[in-house]
Amino acid sequence: MEISPEQIAKIKEHLKVNNSREDDLIQDYVEGAIDYVEFYCGGPLVTALTEPADGEDAPAETLFTKGIWQAILLLVGHWYANREAAAASQVEIPFGVDALLFRHRRLR
């Protein structure tokens, strides 16, 4: 899934970043967040679900929702603020991400 320039602008607003010096880093975090969501949910993010062909199962897709958008914002914000895990007590994935994504998870 591609994130639009408008969505990148919203992510930068969420991060309180008003310059372009770290655009490549932020893009890497966005791609990592999308990868995390797609793996967790069990299918690629799409803006519209594909209709299954007659007699076939629906493809393993995850509909991009506002909840998934919020999970991506939380992940990118966390990774931007905590660039390295330095303490055992440091939370690797922000609370709320799993709760936002759980209802979209495909059970395998």
Side-chain angles (χ1 to χ4, degrees):
M1 171 171 191
E2 292 291 321
I3 297 294
S4 71
E6 293 81 14
Q7 289 169 312
I8 292 292
K10 285 191 176 283
I11 290 167
K12 289 174 72 171
E13 182 180 340
H14 174 75
L15 300 174
K16 298 183 180 356
V17 172
N18 58 9
N19 60 62
S20 60
R21 288 190 304 267
E22 296 183 310
D23 282 1
D24 290 341
L25 176 66
I26 292 168
Q27 183 64 40
D28 288 344
Y29 290 149
V30 169
E31 290 172 12
I34 290 170
D35 185 59
Y36 180 91
V37 169
E38 289 179 338
F39 180 80
Y40 184 96
C41 293
L45 286 173
V46 295
T47 56
L49 295 174
T50 304
E51 289 292 322
D54 288 337
E56 293 187 15
D57 292 334
E61 298 173 324
T62 303
L63 186 61
F64 184 72
T65 65
K66 290 181 181 183
I68 287 177
W69 172 247
Q70 185 61 41
I72 289 171
L73 286 176
L74 287 171
L75 285 167
V76 172
H78 176 73
W79 292 334
Y80 184 81
N82 303 286
R83 298 184 184 201
E84 295 181 26
S89 62
Q90 192 171 5
V91 177
E92 290 185 33
I93 299 298
F95 294 118
V97 171
D98 288 345
L100 288 163
L101 297 179
F102 186 78
R103 70 187 193 97
H104 300 284
R105 192 168 202 177
R106 285 175 101 48
L107 300 176
R108 299 169 199 150

